[in-house]
Amino acid sequence: MNYMDYVDDRAMVMFTAGQLVRVNACLDGPRASILTAAVSRPNPSGPVVAWGPNRLDAFVIGTDSALYHKAWNGSAWSGYESLSGVVEGPPEAVSLAPNRLDIFVRGSDQGLYHKSWNGSAWGPSVGGYENLGGKIVGKPKAVSWGPNRLDIFVVGTDHQLYHKAWNGSAWQPAPTGYEPLGGIILGDPEAVAWGPNRLDIFVVGTDHAVYHKAWNGSAWSPSATGYENLGGIIQYIPKVVSWGPNRLDIFAVGTDSALYHKAWDGAAWRPSPTGWENLGGIVSSAVDAVSWGPNRLDVFVTGTDSALYHKAWDGAAWRPSPSGYENLGGRIVKPPRAVSWGPNRLDIFVVGTDSALYHKAWDGSAWQPSVTGYENLGGIITEISRTMAATAGGGPYNP
């Protein structure tokens, strides 16, 4: 539990809470230039979004710190389109309707910036961004619970959670303003929407436990600045998935590097309010998960051999076993990104040791191009990571 005790063994898995606070304070203050330096460090920086059947949009950061985009239109991949900008950290993408994309990034001034695709053009322009203000650390998290609705969550330089929303005609509380939601947060927020006007937010506290708050359509629960303690002592940022109304599944990596899971079944947290189910493994990075249908979950992790591993909940049991994983091969450098555009369909994106983007897919009966093979999508992709790894993704069908 003490990364700075100079041992070199499996006990050296994370910074203590106090060390992490000091590291972030250093990166936010006297060493802020590190985050804008030209760093040759290959990391995945994108999410991938599916806004319809057989459609995928991937966003990555190039070595010039600009945002790049490529898309699968159902028959072919496009090349990389430069969307310009000087971007710090990974982008966040969300789709609130068919052929609609909204992208959020942190600029070199630590402000939040936004651009969107309306079906025919990028707004405000191909190379331009809308300034949404703020001074943020880490990666923004965006979710949409309905047409023309966006909710954005960021962590401020005071490590408090902040929120803003697009209501269809204006940003609330203001174009550059934010609603404070309290807390002292390590890493980035995770959020999901399982129904109209419903939001569930998850963060990691200074004790490395998971904390939760929810918007029920009229108020924040347990309070505007309060959080529910869900227990655990975790590494990385948790991943949250919803496969149906009033259902939440949370995945996190414990200090023993095993994968842990807990679920909200509509009435209670399982296995208990602060307890977690052990799903085994020795996991070396943040987890990603996706749901392609009711009572279905697919989870992807990186093993200590840098290969990709997979397990699934089929509605009755974990496959291949409660603590077992399917080896999907590869040598990857950071957490995988998973998305689903339809029932029994999965698309996985990873960054290889050559910094290129790689892809594999489950077509309903087999992995393509093979169980352990990948399609090379090219590029030289970089990202500057912070102390706790970030994940991307959302609820059912990963909208």
Side-chain angles (χ1 to χ4, degrees):
M1 291 293 294
N2 183 352
Y3 198 81
M4 299 175 74
D5 68 357
Y6 302 104
V7 300
D8 186 14
D9 56 32
R10 285 187 60 199
M12 191 177 70
V13 296
M14 65 169 64
F15 293 104
T16 66
Q19 289 166 354
L20 187 56
V21 168
R22 292 195 67 177
V23 168
N24 280 332
C26 185
L27 290 175
D28 293 337
R31 299 298 183 189
S33 61
I34 292 173
L35 297 179
T36 57
V39 178
S40 178
R41 181 174 177 178
N43 291 303
S45 58
V48 181
V49 179
W51 53 254
N54 216 359
R55 173 70 195 207
L56 295 163
D57 289 86
F59 298 89
V60 299
I61 306 301
T63 55
D64 58 355
S65 297
L67 181 66
Y68 288 83
H69 166 245
K70 78 183 302 163
W72 172 259
N73 63 11
S75 59
W77 287 102
S78 70
Y80 284 93
E81 171 191 21
S82 175
L83 299 180
S84 299
V86 180
V87 179
E88 290 193 1
E92 173 77 342
V94 66
S95 176
L96 51 80
N99 214 3
R100 168 74 191 217
L101 294 164
D102 287 85
I103 320 301
F104 300 88
V105 298
R106 179 166 58 100
S108 57
D109 61 353
Q110 293 186 281
L112 182 67
Y113 289 83
H114 167 246
K115 75 188 312 160
S116 62
W117 173 260
N118 64 10
S120 59
W122 290 103
S125 67
V126 173
Y129 292 80
E130 174 188 19
N131 187 340
L132 297 182
K135 289 282 187 180
I136 70 173
V137 296
K139 173 180 176 292
K141 179 64 184 180
V143 293
S144 174
W145 52 255
N148 220 0
R149 174 70 193 208
L150 290 165
D151 288 86
I152 318 301
F153 299 90
V154 298
V155 176
T157 54
D158 58 358
H159 297 283
Q160 182 178 183
L161 184 66
Y162 290 86
H163 167 245
K164 74 187 309 160
W166 173 258
N167 64 9
S169 58
W171 289 105
Q172 302 294 336
T176 58
Y178 293 80
E179 171 191 21
L181 296 181
I184 302 175
I185 298 164
L186 304 182
D188 306 322
E190 171 71 329
V192 69
W194 54 254
N197 216 357
R198 172 71 193 208
L199 295 163
D200 287 86
I201 320 303
F202 300 84
V203 297
V204 179
T206 55
D207 58 356
H208 287 270
V210 178
Y211 288 82
H212 167 245
K213 74 188 311 160
W215 173 259
N216 63 11
S218 59
W220 290 104
S221 176
S223 69
T225 57
Y227 293 81
E228 171 190 21
N229 187 337
L230 298 183
I233 303 175
I234 72 166
Q235 303 183 62
Y236 314 117
I237 306 301
K239 174 65 183 181
V240 183
V241 178
S242 175
W243 52 255
N246 214 0
R247 173 71 193 208
L248 295 164
D249 288 87
I250 311 173
F251 299 90
V253 179
T255 54
D256 58 356
S257 297
L259 181 66
Y260 287 83
H261 167 247
K262 77 186 304 162
W264 173 259
D265 64 8
W269 289 105
R270 304 295 181 189
S272 71
T274 57
W276 297 73
E277 172 190 18
N278 188 331
L279 296 182
I282 303 177
V283 179
S284 65
S285 72
V287 59
D288 203 13
V290 67
S291 174
W292 52 253
N295 215 359
R296 172 72 193 207
L297 295 163
D298 287 87
V299 187
F300 300 88
V301 299
T302 306
T304 54
D305 58 355
S306 298
L308 181 67
Y309 288 83
H310 167 244
K311 75 187 309 161
W313 173 259
D314 64 8
W318 289 104
R319 304 294 182 189
S321 70
S323 60
Y325 293 80
E326 173 189 21
N327 187 335
L328 297 182
R331 286 186 61 82
I332 65 178
V333 296
K334 277 293 176 179
R337 312 294 187 185
V339 68
S340 175
W341 50 256
N344 213 2
R345 172 71 192 206
L346 295 163
D347 288 87
I348 320 302
F349 297 82
V350 298
V351 174
T353 55
D354 59 354
S355 300
L357 185 66
Y358 288 83
H359 167 247
K360 75 188 309 160
W362 174 259
D363 63 9
S365 59
W367 289 104
Q368 302 296 338
S370 68
V371 174
T372 58
Y374 292 80
E375 171 189 21
N376 188 335
L377 298 183
I380 302 176
I381 298 163
T382 64
E383 174 205 306
I384 301 174
S385 297
R386 289 183 63 83
T387 308
M388 296 189 73
T391 58
Y397 303 102
N398 216 15

